[in-house]
Amino acid sequence: MTGEVVVTGIGAVTCHGGGTDTLWRAMTAAGIRRPDEPADPLAVMDLPRINLVPDPDLRAARATRFAVAAAREALADAGLTGLSEAAVVLGSCMGEPGPNERERGGEEWTAPFRLASATATRLGLAGVAHDIGNACSAGGYALGMAYDMVRAGETDVVLAGGSDAYSRVALGCFNRLGAVDPDRCRPFETDRAGTVFAEGAGILVVESAAHAEARGATAPLTLAGSGWSCDAGHVTAPHADGEQIVRAMREAVGPAGGAASIGCVIPHGTGTRLGDEVESQALHRVFGERTPEVPLYSLKALLGHAGGASAALGAVAGALILRDGHVPRNVPLREQDPACAVWLPQRAPVPLPRGRRRVLVNAYGFGGSNSSLVLEGAAA
Amino acid sequence: MSGTMWAVTGVGSVAPETGAEDGDWFDHRVRLGPRGYKYLPAAAQYLLAAAREALADGGRTDAVPADRRGAAFALNGGFAELFDTMDRRIALEGGAAGLSPATAPYFAVSLLGSRLTSELGLKAFALTSASPRVAALEAVEAGGRALAAGRCDTLLAGAAEHRLPKSPAGDGEQGAVALTLEPRAAAEARGARVRGTVAARSLFVPPGRELPAGLIPGAVRRLLSDLDTEVEVHHVSDGSPFGSAVAAAVDRAAGATGRVTPAGAGCLAAAQALAGLFTGPPGTRLLTTATREGHAALALVRTGPDPYRNPETSHTSQKRGTH
């Protein structure tokens, strides 16, 4: 398992709209977005708040629709139109919940995790199709699986990422757990009060370097590392010592010098109190004295928490940062929690210095399911 | 053979006996312990019980440090009844405030194995596969790939399902299967009894597209070797045209006529068939499953003496086709 793995295409659907250009414009604008209220009269809960993709058809198979749109964009970005064989690996927290939830009393239960097969079918792709259900780290696990598949020589091209859409069950449960911020998603703020879910999909074309080179793909990014771990502890809370999320990060950044060359971190940070603190402290363990110099880009402050798609969207955002060469300023914080002593640039974009064109993306889920990955840009 | 064959050192399975009353065949207080399991979803209870059986059968996940112990679990409709109950409560019976805080976290299906990873200290990773009907074999495939990639040194692979709230296929499946996998050399080094070896591969063909001519023969060739002169084939089929086409193609490629058992609503039938292959007489067996959605998966199981092993060196031979 030694083959180099590259990323040749990216695609995204977010609450700001479809397309990576739309996402990048939102990232550079750094505007505050208030959550939506889904047009679902059966959503009987105190805080029916979620950042919805601007698509009014709540009855549609939204997660599939988002995944297919993002995948089409990623393939076009990679110059791989007309492809008939490729693997598809998609992570999701809820799969496609709509058919089982919307009508209440429908006649037939439908397997919710069929995003990969539905996407492969719509795109006419034969190969393999895996659905990963690793909660909010699912997209990170999917990208890690794609990394392993290419390195093992099982396939040359994988469409990998994640997609999640509005689920009444998920939002209701998060309400019951008291984990919804009534204001908006505000990771690392002092008075944050939980998170706000979001719809969206992020898809990357993950490819063997040899295959990409042979077809003349230009300036691909490198998927340079992937780490998985499990806290094996509490059902919802991360382990306070952060040991396993540190291990996932260290596996992703690689041995000696790996952390020193990271130029940006897209944290998991969802706005939950303990989660943001534990991740901040873990970053200090990974980066040591250099932590105050490592810019974080909080994608969830911009998009909300896209569940199983969050790591994939983080990877898309990381690719955009590497392509541009700058870390955008973050959505402004009212007051940063002193227990989260990390650098969230808010006034101006921060250039990625030479030798640090690597972005670390973190994702964590219920059950202590952790994943990290590193994207690397070509030398400036 | 392109994939590593992993040693299976423990097999566990829990399932209702024929004629058992629904909901009456599994008492978590008896099977798991008197306290602490009441609010665990039924599928997670089954999986935990199956894993304990696999350990009692000889699987030793604790033979390596906790952060080298991986987990790969599978389900399709395992939490569906729970979701349906919670959704009814939210939508029709007073709202989300009436949900039980003990069960609310289980909207995430990856919590199927969370108690298990906690009790066994499986910290390398916990992967949850959920593709329709093939998820159990995918868990073996993906877990094996993670072993090969160095993400762990030992693996607990499992699948669990629970009855469905509404299904034209009946009430769904109930029960769980667990297998412990590790490199054969490691198992032998600690004196473990190896029940057999396993490798799995999956594939996908969009519905409506003809099965590419070389696809199944290629997949079978990658699993079987020239020493596998006698192969038993077993199909778990959902009765779809694609499932039948895959079964026929596998039979042709393997030179055998496979027996067919019906798939259930989820991934458990294939998992149970896989577990059953480790307790039969010695031999080489190919298990396949395929679904109307276009998924297919194949698993090769060898029990009895490994034809590729050199008893003098106790190392796997490097003959063609072995790794």
Side-chain angles (χ1 to χ4, degrees), chain A residues 7 9-11 67 70-71 74-75 86-91 116 119 125 130 132 138-147 149-150 157-163 201-207 223 308-309 311-313 315-316 373:
Chain A
V7 171
I10 54 175
L75 284 172
V88 179
V89 184
L90 294 184
T119 301
L125 297 174
H130 292 305
I132 306 300
Y141 269 78
L143 283 160
M145 185 182 288
Y147 177 77
M149 291 167 74
V150 172
V157 181
V158 189
L159 274 167
S163 183
I203 305 284
L204 291 83
V205 175
V206 176
E207 195 171 350
L223 183 51
L313 283 167
V316 169
L373 60 93

Side-chain angles (χ1 to χ4, degrees), chain B residues 36-112:
Chain B
Y37 300 100
K38 180 178 176 182
Y39 296 107
L40 203 59
Q45 293 176 351
Y46 305 155
L47 184 63
L48 187 53
R52 288 183 183 177
E53 278 197 10
L55 266 54
D57 188 50
R60 283 286 305 275
T61 53
D62 62 353
V64 301
D67 62 9
R68 301 298 301 163
R69 304 171 198 158
F73 302 130
L75 82 170
N76 294 147
F79 281 10
E81 187 187 56
L82 174 66
F83 284 10
D84 194 61
T85 302
M86 292 198 294
D87 195 36
R88 191 181 312 113
R89 179 64 55 88
I90 293 166
L92 307 174
E93 298 171 1
L99 293 171
S100 159
T103 56
Y106 289 91
F107 71 86
V109 297
S110 59
L111 294 192
L112 170 71

Side-chain angles (χ1 to χ4, degrees), chain B residues 290-304:
Chain B
T291 77
R292 65 188 78 255
E293 291 88 355
H295 291 283
L298 295 81
L300 177 69
V301 172
R302 287 203 192 99
T303 54

Side-chain angles (χ1 to χ4, degrees), chain A residues 157-377:
Chain A
V157 181
V158 189
L159 274 167
S163 183
D164 254 311
Y166 166 64
S167 159
R168 188 166 57 232
V169 169
L171 192 50
C173 288
F174 240 57
N175 267 263
R176 182 62 185 90
L177 294 169
V180 181
D181 192 316
D183 183 2
R184 59 187 173 87
C185 195
R186 300 176 292 151
F188 306 108
E189 278 199 6
T190 298
D191 61 348
R192 65 193 182 279
T195 194
V196 173
F197 277 142
E199 294 188 314
I203 305 284
L204 291 83
V205 175
V206 176
E207 195 171 350
S208 72
H211 187 268
E213 185 180 350
R215 67 180 184 84
T218 55
L221 305 172
T222 302
L223 183 51
S226 160
W228 294 352
S229 70
C230 178
D231 284 358
H234 195 271
V235 172
T236 57
H239 200 293
D241 68 10
E243 188 68 37
Q244 293 306 317
I245 69 171
V246 167
R247 188 168 66 79
M249 278 196 270
R250 285 183 172 154
E251 285 190 10
V253 302
S261 60
I262 296 294
C264 171
V265 175
I266 297 180
H268 182 67
T270 62
T272 55
R273 185 148 296 280
L274 181 60
D276 292 2
E277 284 183 22
V278 169
E279 186 176 15
S280 299
Q281 290 155 12
L283 287 165
H284 278 265
R285 290 178 59 188
V286 172
F287 293 107
E289 293 178 353
R290 203 170 76 80
T291 307
E293 304 165 12
V294 180
L296 269 60
Y297 181 74
S298 174
L299 188 63
K300 290 183 182 67
L302 184 79
L303 304 181
H305 183 3
S310 67
L313 283 167
V316 169
L320 292 169
I321 287 168
L322 288 165
R323 287 180 179 180
D324 183 80
H326 291 79
V327 182
R329 64 191 175 101
N330 280 274
V331 174
L333 280 72
R334 280 196 288 256
E335 178 186 72
Q336 185 168 342
D337 185 349
C340 301
V342 289
W343 181 30
L344 292 147
Q346 292 166 67
R347 293 184 180 171
V350 176
L352 286 173
R354 183 184 296 273
R356 289 186 183 163
R357 296 180 62 81
R358 304 209 319 155
V359 176
L360 170 67
V361 180
N362 291 335
Y364 312 128
F366 275 12
S369 179
N370 311 309
S371 71
S372 293
L373 60 93
V374 170
L375 277 175
E376 183 172 320

Side-chain angles (χ1 to χ4, degrees), chain A residues 99-101 104-110, chain B residues 84 164-170:
Chain A
N100 292 323
E101 291 185 2
R104 281 303 323 146
E107 292 300 316
E108 185 176 331
W109 175 80
T110 305
Chain B
D84 194 61
L164 298 175
K166 46 199 175 189
S167 166

Side-chain angles (χ1 to χ4, degrees), chain B:
Chain B
M1 184 186 71
S2 64
T4 305
M5 295 289 288
W6 302 104
V8 172
T9 52
V11 178
S13 179
V14 297
E17 293 178 9
T18 305
E21 290 293 316
D22 185 35
D24 207 25
W25 63 277
F26 186 94
D27 185 337
H28 62 84
R29 290 162 298 193
V30 174
R31 300 294 289 265
L32 301 176
R35 282 191 173 80
Y37 300 100
K38 180 178 176 182
Y39 296 107
L40 203 59
Q45 293 176 351
Y46 305 155
L47 184 63
L48 187 53
R52 288 183 183 177
E53 278 197 10
L55 266 54
D57 188 50
R60 283 286 305 275
T61 53
D62 62 353
V64 301
D67 62 9
R68 301 298 301 163
R69 304 171 198 158
F73 302 130
L75 82 170
N76 294 147
F79 281 10
E81 187 187 56
L82 174 66
F83 284 10
D84 194 61
T85 302
M86 292 198 294
D87 195 36
R88 191 181 312 113
R89 179 64 55 88
I90 293 166
L92 307 174
E93 298 171 1
L99 293 171
S100 159
T103 56
Y106 289 91
F107 71 86
V109 297
S110 59
L111 294 192
L112 170 71
S114 61
R115 177 65 69 88
L116 180 49
T117 60
S118 173
E119 290 198 0
L120 300 184
L122 308 176
K123 296 191 175 186
F125 62 85
L127 179 69
T128 305
S129 292
S131 306
R133 289 200 174 98
V134 295
L137 300 191
E138 278 190 356
V140 173
E141 176 190 29
R145 183 188 295 118
L147 269 162
R151 292 189 187 273
C152 64
D153 292 328
T154 189
L155 178 84
L156 196 140
E161 298 287 9
H162 184 53
R163 65 192 172 205
L164 298 175
K166 46 199 175 189
S167 166
D171 290 329
E173 299 174 295
Q174 297 189 68
V177 165
L179 307 173
T180 52
L181 277 62
E182 59 191 296
R184 183 159 191 153
E188 290 181 347
R190 64 178 179 81
R193 177 209 51 196
V194 175
R195 279 199 170 275
T197 56
V198 65
R201 295 297 292 259
S202 62
L203 54 91
F204 177 80
V205 179
R209 188 194 289 189
E210 202 161 311
L211 199 58
L215 186 67
I216 296 297
V220 171
R221 258 197 317 275
R222 283 193 292 274
L223 287 171
L224 291 177
S225 72
D226 52 0
L227 291 186
D228 292 321
T229 54
E230 291 188 19
V231 183
E232 283 181 30
V233 180
H234 181 185
H235 306 293
V236 175
S237 174
D238 68 352
S240 65
F242 180 70
S244 301
V246 168
V250 169
D251 284 352
R252 282 194 298 274
T257 301
R259 64 190 170 93
V260 180
T261 57
C267 68
L268 190 60
Q272 290 170 327
L274 181 65
L277 298 184
F278 289 98
T279 55
T284 300
R285 298 179 177 85
L286 195 56
L287 171 68
T288 75
T289 187
T291 77
R292 65 188 78 255
E293 291 88 355
H295 291 283
L298 295 81
L300 177 69
V301 172
R302 287 203 192 99
T303 54
D306 185 337
Y308 284 115
R309 293 187 71 76
N310 180 341
E312 292 180 7
T313 62
S314 193
H315 291 295
T316 301
S317 119
Q318 294 302 306
K319 287 181 183 176
R320 179 178 71 80
T322 63
H323 286 235

